[in-house]
């Protein structure tokens, strides 16, 4: 039996939990939109973004549009202190996805199980995160923003509903919660209406980075001033998140040997796969109810057409997430043999932009399993057919829960063992949060 709620509510600060369940404003201390502006329709988020940066609506005009953006260089601040500070409520936005009240928009969001496609939600979150950052950095007298704001990281998305209904209105809320010199942390919440009340579906934390008009160098963003003890706490958490990320990446298995405890896990698994009839390191035998890691993957290819570009004429981050999520879901589905449900997304790093026209190779791998849980890693890289070079652009981590208990995934090589341990680390971090 699956838990109906995989929720993080008990871990939320009480004030946030209160606002989330109240069905009104979702960010602590921030105004209810009903006091002032009305929520933005989801379809207007992207058009607003296009207007803010002056993006071309036709691919044939994209070079000229980029050329025009070059002139905005003069509007960039030389120092962060030259920019006026902002409050959390200055960037607070609410967006409505009216799946209930406007059934005509359901089709795009619908999956075959008659629930909402999570990949579409990832796209909406990405666009909203960027719009929130443009709201934070908005200068009254500037018609166009000189900043190119890109997604650097999806720190985490934790879900508390297993199923997102396709026939009830959805509300997204969010604001900038922490600011560095050129980077901004954005916290977003998604709620769905049931019987007149909004209840929480997920919480998301993204990090966006501001770049110059040509998206070549970092650019300063407005400082953020917390206004209450609650906001101080949120800001401090943003600072802690940054430190935690540095710590996690310093201890990466690509840089450091596994811990003693992890080495024991790997060795025990190795011993468990030795064939007891032959005294040899080479003859390996799959234990019962297990699958070799090399047999637990799926691959995909995406040609990156202009249609999938973002406002900076690179491939839209939300599209990359949707594609990676769907491959991850398919990998979990074929592995577990039943419908998997997403529990958490964490630590998606956007290492390099993906150019329009790229061949994008995606590789989904089951890297860790525990009871009904399947931890998936999707690696994406672009392949340059002329130079024959491969470059990693993203690594995605997804945690799924399956309807039934799944077989144990077993590494055979040292490289696979490191993937296994990395998956276990991600899984453990996710379980601590939910
Ligand atoms: C019909 C009409 C059509 C018209 C257009 C149609 C479009 C419609 C559809 C789309 C519409 C909506 C689009 C909205 C835009 C969405 C956004 C994207 O897609 S974006 C696409 C997807 N995204 C991409 O493509 C991005 C690809 N990645 C990159 O370009 C780079 O890795 C980078 C810029 C993110 C960082 O470059 P790097 O040289 O390493 O940077 P530096 O060392 O200089 O540090 C600068 C700051 O960044 C921080 N920081 C850095 N990394 C991280 C991290 N992992 N974690 C946290 N923080 C990080 C670092 O701490 C520092 O902060 P601070 O101390 O100053 O505060």
């Amino acid at each position: 039996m699956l838990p109906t709620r995989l929720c993080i509510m008990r871990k939320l600060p009480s004030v946030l939990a209160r606002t989330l369940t109240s069905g009104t404003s979702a960010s602590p201390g921030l105004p209810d939109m009903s006091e002032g502006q009305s929520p933005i329709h989801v379809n207007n988020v992207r058009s607003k973004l296009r207007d803010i940066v002056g993006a071309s609506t036709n691919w044939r005009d994209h070079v000229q549009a980029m050329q025009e953006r070059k002139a905005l260089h003069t509007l960039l601040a030389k120092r962060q202190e030259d920019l006026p500070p902002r409050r959390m409520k200055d960037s607070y936005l609410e967006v409505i996805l009216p799946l209930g009240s406007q059934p005509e928009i359901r089709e795009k969001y619908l999956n075959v199980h008659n629930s909402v496609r999570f990949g579409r939600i990832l796209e909406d979150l990405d666009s909203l995160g960027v719009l929130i950052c443009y709201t934070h950095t908005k200068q009254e007298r500037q018609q166009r923003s000189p900043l190119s704001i890109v997604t650097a990281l999806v720190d985490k998305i934790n879900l508390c509903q297993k199923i997102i209904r396709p026939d009830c209105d959805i509300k997204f809320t969010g604001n900038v919660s922490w600011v560095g010199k050129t980077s901004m942390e954005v916290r977003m919440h998604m709620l769905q209406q049931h019987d007149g009340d909004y209840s929480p579906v997920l919480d998301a934390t993204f990090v966006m980075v501001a770049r110059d008009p040509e998206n070549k160098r970092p650019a300063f963003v407005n400082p953020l001033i917390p206004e209450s003890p609650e906001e101080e706490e949120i800001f401090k958490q943003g600072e802690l998140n940054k430190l935690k990320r540095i710590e996690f990446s310093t201890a990466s298995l690509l840089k450091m040997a596994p811990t003693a405890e992890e080495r024991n896990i790997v060795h025990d698994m190795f011993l468990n796969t030795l064939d007891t009839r032959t005294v040899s390191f080479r003859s390996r035998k799959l234990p019962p109810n297990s699958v070799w890691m090399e047999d637990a993957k799926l691959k995909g290819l995406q040609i990156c057409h202009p249609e999938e570009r973002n406002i900076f004429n690179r491939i839209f981050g939300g599209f990359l997430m949707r594609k990676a999520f769907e491959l991850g879901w398919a990998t979990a589905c074929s592995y577990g043999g039943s419908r998997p449900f997403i529990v958490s997304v964490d630590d998606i790093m956007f290492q390099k932009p993906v150019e329009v026209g790229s061949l994008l190779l995606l590789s989904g791998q089951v890297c860790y399993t525990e009871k009904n849980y399947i931890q998936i890693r999707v690696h994406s890289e672009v392949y340059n057919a002329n130079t024959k070079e491969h470059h990693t652009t993203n690594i995605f981590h997804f945690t799924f829960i399956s309807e039934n208990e799944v077989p144990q995934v077993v590494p055979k090589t040292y490289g696979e063992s490191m993937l296994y341990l990395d998956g276990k680390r991600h899984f453990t971090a996710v379980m601590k949060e939910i």
Side-chain angles (χ1 to χ4, degrees):
M1 186 67 175
L2 283 173
T4 45
R5 284 168 67 84
L6 312 156
C7 197
I8 33 43
M9 287 300 288
R10 71 197 140 86
K11 288 275 175 165
L12 285 174
S14 57
V15 63
L16 182 54
R18 252 195 333 271
T19 41
L20 278 174
T21 44
S22 72
T24 54
S25 171
S27 294
L30 299 176
D32 181 349
M33 291 293 275
S34 59
E35 288 169 12
Q37 305 139 277
S38 50
I40 302 165
H41 190 291
V42 77
N43 288 348
N44 294 334
V45 171
R46 291 178 191 178
S47 50
K48 274 179 184 288
L49 285 168
R50 271 198 290 273
D51 289 346
I52 291 168
V53 299
S56 62
T57 43
N58 287 308
W59 176 242
R60 65 169 183 269
D61 301 329
H62 80 278
V63 176
Q64 196 199 332
M66 281 312 274
Q67 212 55 30
E68 284 168 12
R69 272 187 68 70
K70 269 192 193 173
L72 300 175
H73 262 282
T74 54
L75 301 177
L76 290 176
K78 303 264 179 311
R79 305 174 318 153
Q80 190 179 31
E81 302 79 65
D82 295 341
L83 293 165
R86 301 281 189 238
R87 300 162 303 177
M88 287 193 190
K89 64 176 162 220
D90 292 330
S91 60
Y92 178 76
L93 291 182
E94 282 188 16
V95 169
I96 289 290
L97 168 57
L99 292 176
S101 42
Q102 291 177 15
E104 64 279 9
I105 62 171
R106 267 181 219 163
E107 203 69 9
K108 180 178 156 192
Y109 286 86
L110 202 60
N111 66 24
V112 74
H113 303 286
N114 199 33
S115 57
V116 168
R117 290 171 66 180
F118 184 66
R120 289 286 184 212
I121 299 297
L122 290 175
E123 291 184 319
D124 289 344
L125 285 171
D126 198 25
S127 303
L128 172 61
V130 175
L131 186 62
I132 287 172
C133 290
Y134 275 116
T135 311
H136 174 85
T137 54
K138 186 173 161 40
Q139 309 290 345
E140 276 319 318
R141 282 183 298 279
Q142 288 172 4
Q143 199 207 344
R144 292 266 147 84
S145 172
L147 301 177
S148 306
I149 297 178
V150 301
T151 315
L153 176 81
V154 176
D155 188 59
K156 57 182 171 240
I157 304 177
N158 287 335
L159 282 98
C160 50
Q161 301 273 350
K162 213 174 70 172
I163 290 176
I164 309 173
R165 293 188 52 170
D167 53 356
C168 296
D169 284 0
I170 282 175
K171 178 158 79 174
F172 297 97
T173 68
N175 59 278
V176 171
S177 49
W178 173 87
V179 158
K181 291 270 175 224
T182 67
S183 60
M184 291 161 276
E185 185 191 82
V186 180
R187 282 207 199 170
M188 291 172 281
H189 311 285
M190 179 176 142
L191 308 101
Q192 188 159 43
Q193 200 172 42
H194 299 286
D195 306 325
D197 259 347
Y198 276 102
S199 41
V201 176
L202 64 81
D203 292 321
T205 308
F206 283 43
V207 179
M208 308 295 185
V209 171
R211 318 270 293 164
D212 69 13
E214 294 175 85
N215 196 356
K216 286 190 174 152
R217 272 175 287 275
F220 292 117
V221 297
N222 302 61
L224 178 68
I225 308 272
E227 285 193 306
S228 63
E230 283 162 352
E231 289 191 4
E232 302 261 1
E233 199 45 51
I234 294 171
F235 193 88
K236 238 190 263 159
Q237 189 58 51
E239 201 70 49
L240 280 178
N241 288 346
K242 183 176 175 166
L243 296 177
K244 247 196 268 165
R245 284 193 286 271
I246 295 170
E247 205 181 296
F248 204 82
S249 97
T250 317
S252 159
L253 292 164
L254 291 168
K255 297 181 193 156
M256 267 175 87
T259 63
E261 191 191 335
E262 288 173 331
R263 286 197 297 271
N264 281 341
I265 293 173
V266 168
H267 200 70
D268 283 350
M269 287 188 92
F270 170 72
L271 294 179
N272 205 23
T273 60
L274 288 183
D275 189 344
T276 44
R277 288 167 307 176
T278 53
V279 190
S280 158
F281 286 122
R282 279 169 184 255
S283 62
R284 310 281 295 273
K285 219 173 114 232
L286 193 61
N289 196 25
S290 308
V291 176
W292 289 123
M293 221 156 158
E294 64 189 8
D295 298 326
K297 52 178 143 197
L298 279 185
K299 293 193 183 257
L301 163 78
Q302 200 64 42
I303 300 174
C304 297
H305 296 292
E307 188 189 357
E308 314 303 348
R309 73 191 183 280
N310 64 17
I311 41 181
F312 316 114
N313 298 314
R314 261 55 185 272
I315 295 301
F316 173 40
F319 169 79
L320 299 173
M321 284 196 262
R322 171 160 67 85
K323 286 292 156 188
F325 169 76
E326 289 181 355
L327 180 70
W329 184 89
T331 311
C333 188
S334 65
Y335 184 83
S338 63
R339 181 182 174 190
F341 297 89
I342 183 74
V343 176
S344 178
V345 177
D346 84 305
D347 198 24
I348 299 182
M349 270 233 264
F350 289 85
Q351 296 173 3
K352 278 197 171 64
V354 176
E355 302 294 339
V356 171
S358 302
L359 295 181
L360 187 72
L361 304 171
L362 294 162
S363 172
Q365 169 79 64
V366 176
C367 51
Y368 182 74
T369 51
E370 197 173 305
K371 298 187 184 119
N372 290 30
Y373 290 98
I374 307 174
Q375 185 68 34
I376 302 275
R377 179 184 197 264
V378 178
H379 176 261
S380 91
E381 60 184 21
V382 288
Y383 172 64
N384 185 325
N386 298 324
T387 61
K388 309 267 182 273
E389 281 174 346
H390 291 252
H391 288 290
T392 297
T393 57
N394 301 75
I395 312 271
F396 303 85
H397 301 276
F398 302 109
T399 310
F400 290 96
I401 186 163
S402 194
E403 273 170 340
N404 307 316
E405 192 151 322
V406 298
Q408 212 204 347
V409 73
V410 183
K412 208 186 248 176
T413 64
Y414 188 78
E416 285 176 351
S417 301
M418 295 306 104
L419 272 181
Y420 180 91
L421 291 179
D422 189 56
K424 185 174 185 332
R425 285 183 184 185
H426 279 280
F427 180 75
T428 309
V430 165
M431 285 301 122
K432 264 197 207 144
E433 293 246 345
I434 64 174

